[in-house]
Structure formats: C-alpha cells, structure tokens
Amino acid sequence: MRYHPRTGSGAGPGMAAAAAAAEDVQATHPEEPVRDDAAVETAEEAKEPAEADIAELCRDMFSKMATYLTGELTATSEDYKLLENMNKLTSLKYLEMKDIAINISRNLKDLNQKYAGLQPYLDQINVIEEQVAALEQAAYKLDAYSKKLEAKYKKLEKR
C-alpha cells in the first residue's frame, strides 16, 4: 500500500481513484453532506479481500470443481460400464436364441424327413380305407339282394 497525498491515507491506486471521484462529486454537488475519508477507506477495504483470502478461495474453488468434475466423469464412466454390461448380456441372449432357432430348424427338418418316409405308408392306408369303404358298400348291396331273394323264396315256398 502507498500513501496517497490527496486522501492522506495509505490506500492503494483503486482507493485513490475512488477518493478523487468522491472529491469531484463533492465539488459539483455541494448540497451533499461531506463524507468522512475514514468511512470511505473502510468501505473500500471491505470490498477488496486480502491476497491470501483470494488464493485460499481459488484453491477451495478448484478443489471443489475437481471433486465435481471427478464425480461427473465417474458417473459417465459408470454409465458406459452399465451399457457395456447390458450389451454383453444382450449378445449372450441373442446367441442363446440363435442356438434355440438352429435346434428348432434341425428338429423340423428331421420331422419332415420322417414324414416323407411315412408318406408311402400313409398313401397305402388311404387306398386300403377306400377299398374297405367300397367293400362295405358291396356288402350292403349283397345284404339287400339276399333279403330280396329270401323274400322271393318265401313267396315261392308258400305257393
């Protein structure tokens, strides 16, 4: 701090400018009450924190900012780890589903081959069923014809 000849105090350059401005204001506006230079000086000193306080506040601010940024980066890192784990699990699930689909496809091919192997026998069963139906119709016709013959025979026998 330096001694300022105008204010008569040991104020710095910023305070000297403020004191000079106060004198100019008093010269242009004489109706304002005259202020005590000690009060102005005290007010100026209260506005400017000491150099040690500024350094400590800066260290505190940088420390807190570092903590905040570390937390943000940690959270982002954890989010990426979570996404990575989810992707791995999804990939495993898709591999399981692929294996299941391959097994189903293989079993379906086996069933189709077995069905193709059984097809001639199924065709024979259908032919036999048609023949049985035709034979049954013939048996009904034969039964009806035999009943007619029996009725004619009984008529002839009565005569």
Side-chain angles (χ1 to χ4, degrees):
M1 290 223 274
R2 319 186 283 191
Y3 176 77
H4 193 272
R6 217 186 256 187
T7 60
S9 67
M15 290 176 36
E23 285 179 7
D24 290 341
V25 170
Q26 286 177 1
T28 57
H29 301 292
E31 63 272 356
E32 289 185 14
V34 177
R35 294 184 182 173
D36 186 14
D37 285 340
V40 173
E41 183 179 331
T42 306
E44 286 297 322
E45 286 178 353
K47 288 183 183 177
E48 293 183 15
E51 290 293 323
D53 290 341
I54 290 175
E56 182 61 33
L57 289 173
C58 286
R59 276 193 288 279
D60 187 43
M61 179 196 67
F62 283 122
S63 172
K64 288 180 180 179
M65 185 61 77
T67 303
Y68 169 75
L69 291 175
T70 301
E72 284 293 316
L73 292 174
T74 301
T76 303
S77 174
E78 292 298 320
D79 287 345
Y80 281 124
K81 286 179 185 176
L82 177 63
L83 282 173
E84 181 182 9
N85 289 337
M86 288 172 59
N87 284 338
K88 286 178 182 177
L89 289 174
T90 303
S91 176
L92 290 175
K93 201 59 148 168
Y94 279 127
L95 286 175
E96 289 175 10
M97 290 171 63
K98 177 187 167 193
D99 291 342
I100 291 171
I102 288 171
N103 286 336
I104 289 173
S105 175
R106 189 179 311 124
N107 289 338
L108 185 60
K109 285 179 184 177
D110 290 345
L111 284 175
N112 284 336
Q113 287 176 351
K114 288 177 182 178
Y115 182 76
L118 289 175
Q119 190 62 43
Y121 299 113
L122 294 173
D123 291 340
Q124 285 179 357
I125 289 172
N126 287 338
V127 170
I128 291 172
E129 186 179 5
E130 289 172 4
Q131 290 174 350
V132 167
L135 188 60
E136 186 179 14
Q137 289 299 321
Y140 283 135
K141 286 180 183 177
L142 185 61
D143 186 44
Y145 181 74
S146 67
K147 285 183 183 177
K148 284 182 185 177
L149 276 178
E150 185 180 357
K152 280 186 182 180
Y153 177 75
K154 285 188 180 180
K155 277 186 184 178
L156 284 175
E157 203 174 69
K158 285 186 181 179
R159 281 192 197 168

